[in-house]
mmCIF file of all heavy atoms in Angstrom:
data_model
loop_
_atom_site.group_PDB
_atom_site.id
_atom_site.type_symbol
_atom_site.label_atom_id
_atom_site.label_comp_id
_atom_site.label_asym_id
_atom_site.label_seq_id
_atom_site.Cartn_x
_atom_site.Cartn_y
_atom_site.Cartn_z
ATOM 1 N N MET A 33 0.771 -1.192 -0.058
ATOM 2 C CA MET A 33 -0.037 0.066 -0.038
ATOM 3 C C MET A 33 0.789 1.241 -0.040
ATOM 4 O O MET A 33 0.665 2.226 -0.734
ATOM 5 C CB MET A 33 -0.909 -0.080 1.149
ATOM 6 C CG MET A 33 -1.947 1.053 1.307
ATOM 7 S SD MET A 33 -1.254 2.633 2.183
ATOM 8 C CE MET A 33 -0.874 1.877 3.845
ATOM 9 N N LEU A 34 1.947 1.197 0.948
ATOM 10 C CA LEU A 34 2.814 2.453 0.970
ATOM 11 C C LEU A 34 3.528 2.784 -0.504
ATOM 12 O O LEU A 34 3.675 3.921 -0.822
ATOM 13 C CB LEU A 34 3.891 2.201 2.088
ATOM 14 C CG LEU A 34 3.335 2.173 3.415
ATOM 15 C CD1 LEU A 34 4.444 1.955 4.336
ATOM 16 C CD2 LEU A 34 2.736 3.595 3.857
ATOM 17 N N LEU A 73 9.626 11.376 6.924
ATOM 18 C CA LEU A 73 9.057 10.841 8.221
ATOM 19 C C LEU A 73 9.854 9.439 8.566
ATOM 20 O O LEU A 73 10.293 8.764 7.719
ATOM 21 C CB LEU A 73 7.588 10.450 7.978
ATOM 22 C CG LEU A 73 6.895 9.734 9.142
ATOM 23 C CD1 LEU A 73 6.765 10.852 10.343
ATOM 24 C CD2 LEU A 73 5.592 9.238 8.764
ATOM 25 N N VAL A 74 10.199 9.366 9.905
ATOM 26 C CA VAL A 74 10.802 8.211 10.380
ATOM 27 C C VAL A 74 9.772 7.572 11.363
ATOM 28 O O VAL A 74 9.323 8.216 12.266
ATOM 29 C CB VAL A 74 12.088 8.568 11.118
ATOM 30 C CG1 VAL A 74 12.621 7.370 11.940
ATOM 31 C CG2 VAL A 74 13.143 9.099 10.148
ATOM 32 N N ILE A 75 9.607 6.283 11.185
ATOM 33 C CA ILE A 75 8.694 5.557 12.203
ATOM 34 C C ILE A 75 9.627 4.594 12.793
ATOM 35 O O ILE A 75 10.301 3.671 12.002
ATOM 36 C CB ILE A 75 7.500 4.922 11.494
ATOM 37 C CG1 ILE A 75 6.529 5.899 10.856
ATOM 38 C CG2 ILE A 75 6.768 3.943 12.445
ATOM 39 C CD1 ILE A 75 5.445 5.332 10.017
ATOM 40 N N ASN A 76 9.729 4.608 14.029
ATOM 41 C CA ASN A 76 10.700 3.671 14.802
ATOM 42 C C ASN A 76 10.157 3.392 16.247
ATOM 43 O O ASN A 76 10.106 4.347 16.906
ATOM 44 C CB ASN A 76 12.209 4.149 14.819
ATOM 45 C CG ASN A 76 13.082 3.022 15.378
ATOM 46 O OD1 ASN A 76 13.344 3.005 16.578
ATOM 47 N ND2 ASN A 76 13.577 2.147 14.549
ATOM 48 N N LEU A 77 9.811 2.130 16.500
ATOM 49 C CA LEU A 77 9.203 1.865 17.856
ATOM 50 C C LEU A 77 10.330 1.415 18.627
ATOM 51 O O LEU A 77 11.150 0.502 18.480
ATOM 52 C CB LEU A 77 8.302 0.739 17.549
ATOM 53 C CG LEU A 77 7.141 1.056 16.509
ATOM 54 C CD1 LEU A 77 6.151 -0.052 16.496
ATOM 55 C CD2 LEU A 77 6.361 2.390 16.771
ATOM 56 N N PRO A 78 10.450 1.994 19.843
ATOM 57 C CA PRO A 78 11.437 1.601 20.905
ATOM 58 C C PRO A 78 11.367 0.118 21.340
ATOM 59 O O PRO A 78 10.286 -0.309 21.304
ATOM 60 C CB PRO A 78 11.201 2.535 22.165
ATOM 61 C CG PRO A 78 10.478 3.786 21.514
ATOM 62 C CD PRO A 78 9.620 3.196 20.433
ATOM 63 N N LEU A 108 9.063 12.243 13.642
ATOM 64 C CA LEU A 108 9.466 11.063 14.157
ATOM 65 C C LEU A 108 8.182 10.436 14.903
ATOM 66 O O LEU A 108 7.528 11.180 15.587
ATOM 67 C CB LEU A 108 10.507 11.087 15.197
ATOM 68 C CG LEU A 108 10.834 9.848 16.062
ATOM 69 C CD1 LEU A 108 11.400 8.790 15.154
ATOM 70 C CD2 LEU A 108 11.994 10.193 17.165
ATOM 71 N N VAL A 109 7.820 9.206 14.605
ATOM 72 C CA VAL A 109 6.759 8.517 15.199
ATOM 73 C C VAL A 109 7.237 7.344 15.989
ATOM 74 O O VAL A 109 7.980 6.426 15.397
ATOM 75 C CB VAL A 109 5.643 8.059 14.207
ATOM 76 C CG1 VAL A 109 4.466 7.296 14.990
ATOM 77 C CG2 VAL A 109 5.064 9.223 13.520
ATOM 78 N N THR A 110 7.032 7.341 17.379
ATOM 79 C CA THR A 110 7.571 6.232 18.119
ATOM 80 C C THR A 110 6.482 5.451 18.834
ATOM 81 O O THR A 110 6.718 4.503 19.536
ATOM 82 C CB THR A 110 8.493 6.840 19.278
ATOM 83 O OG1 THR A 110 7.788 7.692 20.126
ATOM 84 C CG2 THR A 110 9.677 7.566 18.612
ATOM 85 N N ASP A 111 5.225 5.827 18.613
ATOM 86 C CA ASP A 111 4.095 5.115 19.214
ATOM 87 C C ASP A 111 3.360 4.214 18.221
ATOM 88 O O ASP A 111 3.021 4.555 17.255
ATOM 89 C CB ASP A 111 3.076 6.066 19.828
ATOM 90 C CG ASP A 111 1.950 5.421 20.597
ATOM 91 O OD1 ASP A 111 2.258 5.135 21.802
ATOM 92 O OD2 ASP A 111 0.890 5.302 20.066
ATOM 93 N N VAL A 112 3.178 2.926 18.678
ATOM 94 C CA VAL A 112 2.531 1.915 17.670
ATOM 95 C C VAL A 112 1.129 2.331 17.371
ATOM 96 O O VAL A 112 0.724 2.136 16.282
ATOM 97 C CB VAL A 112 2.587 0.425 18.336
ATOM 98 C CG1 VAL A 112 1.869 0.343 19.569
ATOM 99 C CG2 VAL A 112 2.264 -0.541 17.326
ATOM 100 N N LYS A 113 0.361 2.938 18.406
ATOM 101 C CA LYS A 113 -0.954 3.300 18.115
ATOM 102 C C LYS A 113 -1.072 4.394 17.037
ATOM 103 O O LYS A 113 -1.739 4.417 16.130
ATOM 104 C CB LYS A 113 -1.685 3.626 19.211
ATOM 105 C CG LYS A 113 -1.967 2.540 20.265
ATOM 106 C CD LYS A 113 -2.705 2.900 21.578
ATOM 107 C CE LYS A 113 -3.048 1.738 22.520
ATOM 108 N NZ LYS A 113 -3.720 2.138 23.710
ATOM 109 N N CYS A 114 -0.069 5.335 17.148
ATOM 110 C CA CYS A 114 -0.074 6.531 16.241
ATOM 111 C C CYS A 114 0.280 5.943 14.890
ATOM 112 O O CYS A 114 -0.201 6.530 13.804
ATOM 113 C CB CYS A 114 1.008 7.631 16.851
ATOM 114 S SG CYS A 114 0.353 8.437 18.229
ATOM 115 N N THR A 115 1.219 5.044 14.877
ATOM 116 C CA THR A 115 1.663 4.428 13.545
ATOM 117 C C THR A 115 0.457 3.775 12.840
ATOM 118 O O THR A 115 0.131 3.916 11.737
ATOM 119 C CB THR A 115 2.795 3.464 13.806
ATOM 120 O OG1 THR A 115 3.795 4.061 14.360
ATOM 121 C CG2 THR A 115 3.279 2.898 12.328
ATOM 122 N N LYS A 116 -0.381 2.980 13.621
ATOM 123 C CA LYS A 116 -1.407 2.344 13.054
ATOM 124 C C LYS A 116 -2.555 3.380 12.607
ATOM 125 O O LYS A 116 -3.109 3.178 11.502
ATOM 126 C CB LYS A 116 -2.154 1.415 14.070
ATOM 127 C CG LYS A 116 -1.392 0.123 14.329
ATOM 128 C CD LYS A 116 -1.869 -0.715 15.397
ATOM 129 C CE LYS A 116 -1.161 -1.977 15.724
ATOM 130 N NZ LYS A 116 -1.730 -2.735 16.819
ATOM 131 N N LEU A 117 -2.641 4.424 13.309
ATOM 132 C CA LEU A 117 -3.662 5.516 12.900
ATOM 133 C C LEU A 117 -3.156 6.098 11.541
ATOM 134 O O LEU A 117 -3.917 6.495 10.757
ATOM 135 C CB LEU A 117 -3.842 6.646 14.038
ATOM 136 C CG LEU A 117 -4.594 6.073 15.223
ATOM 137 C CD1 LEU A 117 -4.535 7.097 16.318
ATOM 138 C CD2 LEU A 117 -6.014 5.833 14.912
ATOM 139 N N LEU A 118 -1.852 6.376 11.408
ATOM 140 C CA LEU A 118 -1.264 6.970 10.365
ATOM 141 C C LEU A 118 -1.522 6.058 9.167
ATOM 142 O O LEU A 118 -1.886 6.646 8.035
ATOM 143 C CB LEU A 118 0.183 7.370 10.536
ATOM 144 C CG LEU A 118 0.963 7.785 9.307
ATOM 145 C CD1 LEU A 118 0.459 9.111 8.825
ATOM 146 C CD2 LEU A 118 2.515 7.826 9.659
ATOM 147 N N VAL A 119 -1.228 4.880 9.253
ATOM 148 C CA VAL A 119 -1.360 3.963 8.111
ATOM 149 C C VAL A 119 -2.904 3.846 7.738
ATOM 150 O O VAL A 119 -3.197 3.805 6.503
ATOM 151 C CB VAL A 119 -0.889 2.609 8.396
ATOM 152 C CG1 VAL A 119 -1.140 1.520 7.383
ATOM 153 C CG2 VAL A 119 0.647 2.563 8.629
ATOM 154 N N GLU A 120 -3.692 3.779 8.801
ATOM 155 C CA GLU A 120 -5.151 3.733 8.414
ATOM 156 C C GLU A 120 -5.634 5.026 7.796
ATOM 157 O O GLU A 120 -6.513 4.829 6.861
ATOM 158 C CB GLU A 120 -5.949 3.421 9.756
ATOM 159 C CG GLU A 120 -7.508 3.369 9.669
ATOM 160 C CD GLU A 120 -7.932 2.148 8.912
ATOM 161 O OE1 GLU A 120 -7.084 1.196 8.487
ATOM 162 O OE2 GLU A 120 -9.059 2.169 8.361
ATOM 163 N N SER A 121 -5.226 6.158 8.188
ATOM 164 C CA SER A 121 -5.644 7.266 7.528
ATOM 165 C C SER A 121 -5.143 7.359 6.129
ATOM 166 O O SER A 121 -5.915 7.831 5.271
ATOM 167 C CB SER A 121 -5.060 8.618 8.273
ATOM 168 O OG SER A 121 -3.605 8.778 8.158
ATOM 169 N N MET A 122 -4.023 6.801 5.850
ATOM 170 C CA MET A 122 -3.575 6.724 4.357
ATOM 171 C C MET A 122 -4.355 5.878 3.579
ATOM 172 O O MET A 122 -4.742 6.097 2.491
ATOM 173 C CB MET A 122 -2.048 6.470 4.373
ATOM 174 C CG MET A 122 -1.183 7.381 4.960
ATOM 175 S SD MET A 122 0.534 6.674 5.231
ATOM 176 C CE MET A 122 0.908 6.308 3.377
#
Side-chain angles (χ1 to χ4, degrees):
M33 184 274 297
L34 290 177
L73 175 70
V74 172
I75 299 175
N76 184 269
L77 307 181
L108 174 66
V109 179
T110 60
D111 182 81
V112 64
K113 292 183 179 180
C114 290
T115 303
K116 291 178 179 179
L117 288 172
L118 174 63
V119 174
E120 179 64 15
S121 70
M122 292 169 61

